[in-house]
Amino acid sequence: MKVYHSLTEWRQARAGQDFAGRTVGFVPTMGALHAGHRALLERARAENDRVVLSIFVNPTQFNDPADLARYPRTLAADVALAGGLVDDVLAPPAAELYPDDYRYRVTEGELSRRWEGAHRPGHFDGVLTVVLKLLNLVRPDRSYFGEKDWQQLQLVRGMAEALFLPGEIVACPTVRAADGLALSSRNARLSPAGRIHAAAFPEILRESPAADRAAEHLRAEGFEVDYVADDAGVRLGAVRVEGVRLIDNVRL
Ligand code: PAF
């Protein structure tokens, strides 16, 4: 496995013999890898000749500077977790990915304004812009995204269609702990009691008869609720537990 911090070196490698005639699977991440990421990498490994992982804590998708500062940076542990599944790790510094200082960006004008977008203004502009940059750099045959970030997945798919991007966007099921909580790097910030409490979030989403009833039930159980909404057979929601923001979605 080779780790690239320089985009010049990466582009040379991507144009070289190691990639010639090989299919490329791509898993974009912000690091702090867990078993959910590993499932994406395993699928990429099974379906492609070469697997590229990106690790980049993307500053433009954080609307809260404190959240960006707190985001775990665990490159050595991430590289260890990816071992055996990944051929190349792309981990560039922000100045290399944003030589334009974010003057150029991708904006979607409808879905990106709802739910997550309404609570995190500018978030999806940052996500779509960095995903487009990474797809242009990696030129994958297949890119793997988790269904846990359901709205992100729809927007990335929509961008790929709207901008005629080559390559397939592959959706992968959410990986959950035994008690049903979706795996997330944010779970590590919960106290043991908060972690037990958090497992009621997906359960209430799944079992409530309607989105507004789910929101009421979550509030009654002590969650701060940002939103719960039903859309195209999926119920999605965002809550806070001990100040830690969790998102999830379930099929209705
Ligand atoms: O889902 C994530 O980890 C990020 O939003 C992504 C897709 C890697 C873009 O920074």
Side-chain angles (χ1 to χ4, degrees):
M1 185 198 306
K2 176 139 196 238
V3 181
Y4 295 86
H5 295 290
S6 145
L7 287 185
T8 308
E9 274 180 34
W10 162 253
R11 292 170 105 169
Q12 277 165 5
R14 180 64 184 87
Q17 271 310 304
D18 286 349
F19 283 88
R22 305 240 164 94
T23 57
V24 176
F26 176 45
V27 179
T29 77
M30 298 207 297
L33 301 187
H34 50 66
H37 296 112
R38 208 176 149 87
L40 303 181
L41 293 171
E42 278 165 0
R43 177 126 179 227
R45 180 80 277 161
E47 295 179 353
N48 302 278
D49 299 326
R50 211 161 169 100
V51 175
V52 180
L53 163 71
S54 69
I55 297 179
F56 177 67
V57 182
N58 176 32
T60 64
Q61 71 187 75
F62 287 83
N63 56 317
D64 174 1
D67 201 20
L68 172 61
R70 249 193 324 255
Y71 202 87
R73 283 139 173 106
T74 55
L75 186 64
D78 293 343
V79 167
L81 183 136
L85 293 172
V86 169
D87 300 294
D88 307 278
V89 179
L90 187 56
E96 289 218 18
L97 262 190
Y98 288 99
D100 61 327
D101 256 337
Y102 197 39
R103 284 185 300 119
Y104 292 87
R105 60 186 77 176
V106 181
T107 298
E108 190 275 352
E110 214 176 284
L111 176 59
S112 71
R113 310 279 162 95
R114 288 188 232 150
W115 311 315
E116 275 304 285
H119 286 269
R120 303 181 67 188
H123 169 67
F124 286 122
D125 287 9
V127 170
L128 292 177
T129 304
V130 82
V131 169
L132 181 60
K133 284 171 184 273
L134 291 167
L135 291 178
N136 282 333
L137 286 163
V138 176
R139 288 183 280 120
D141 295 277
R142 297 177 195 85
S143 304
Y144 297 82
F145 289 84
E147 287 181 344
K148 174 173 165 288
D149 294 303
W150 184 88
Q151 204 178 344
Q152 167 175 288
L153 170 65
Q154 308 312 314
L155 284 162
V156 168
R157 278 225 160 111
M159 173 176 74
E161 268 177 48
L163 303 185
F164 308 106
L165 299 181
E168 191 187 340
I169 304 297
V170 182
C172 300
T174 302
V175 179
R176 296 182 181 280
D179 63 3
L181 184 66
L183 298 192
S184 161
S185 55
R186 291 169 189 260
N187 297 352
R189 300 199 336 235
L190 296 168
S191 72
R195 171 62 192 78
I196 291 169
H197 183 206
F201 173 36
E203 194 181 315
I204 292 172
L205 282 185
R206 192 172 294 109
E207 286 173 8
S208 300
D212 54 352
R213 297 278 293 281
E216 266 169 42
H217 191 170
L218 284 163
R219 284 193 190 99
E221 292 292 330
F223 292 91
E224 276 176 64
V225 178
D226 275 358
Y227 63 85
V228 179
D230 290 348
D231 184 61
V234 174
R235 176 168 297 151
L236 54 155
V239 296
R240 280 171 208 274
V241 187
E242 298 177 332
V244 179
R245 193 164 185 280
L246 304 177
I247 66 169
D248 204 347
N249 65 86
V250 298
R251 294 206 189 262
L252 295 174

